[in-house]
Amino acid sequence: LYSATTEDDETVDVTSSESMDVDFDYFNVYRNGVLIGTTMDPNFVDEDPLNVAMEYHVTAMDANGNESESSNGEIVYMISTFNHLLPS
């Protein structure tokens, strides 16, 4: 996993490195250990993130159905989660 970031506190952009394997098929994207989507592109947008701290992982699937080891995790914090802690 290259990065997982939010700029608008409404979506999370998950970016992985491109697969170099000739039999690459697609990426699995996981949030907090749960599969939330697949993509053939190394960029994925989580349009329904949880309003908490989230950890993202990515795996690659090949044409034979084999899943790679999980990437290192990236933790994303939604700013709105902490707004109640800020003085008014």
Side-chain angles (χ1 to χ4, degrees):
L1 180 60
Y2 179 69
S3 68
T5 59
T6 183
E7 291 187 19
D8 59 10
D9 211 32
E10 294 178 13
T11 62
V12 175
D13 298 315
V14 179
T15 306
S16 57
S17 7
E18 292 193 30
S19 177
M20 304 309 263
D21 292 340
V22 294
D23 62 348
F24 167 76
D25 198 12
Y26 59 90
F27 293 105
N28 287 325
V29 181
Y30 294 88
R31 178 183 62 218
N32 296 342
V34 176
L35 179 65
I36 60 167
T38 61
T39 180
M40 294 180 74
D41 191 287
N43 300 308
F44 178 85
V45 177
D46 182 359
E47 296 180 353
D48 192 25
L50 306 173
N51 197 18
V52 295
M54 299 160 289
E55 186 169 11
Y56 289 86
H57 292 87
V58 175
T59 62
M61 296 293 293
D62 69 17
N64 298 312
N66 298 311
E67 188 170 17
S68 72
E69 295 279 328
S70 180
S71 66
N72 292 332
E74 284 285 323
I75 297 176
V76 176
Y77 298 94
M78 302 303 278
I79 299 299
S80 60
T81 302
F82 304 102
N83 280 346
H84 69 281
L85 300 175
L86 300 175
S88 336

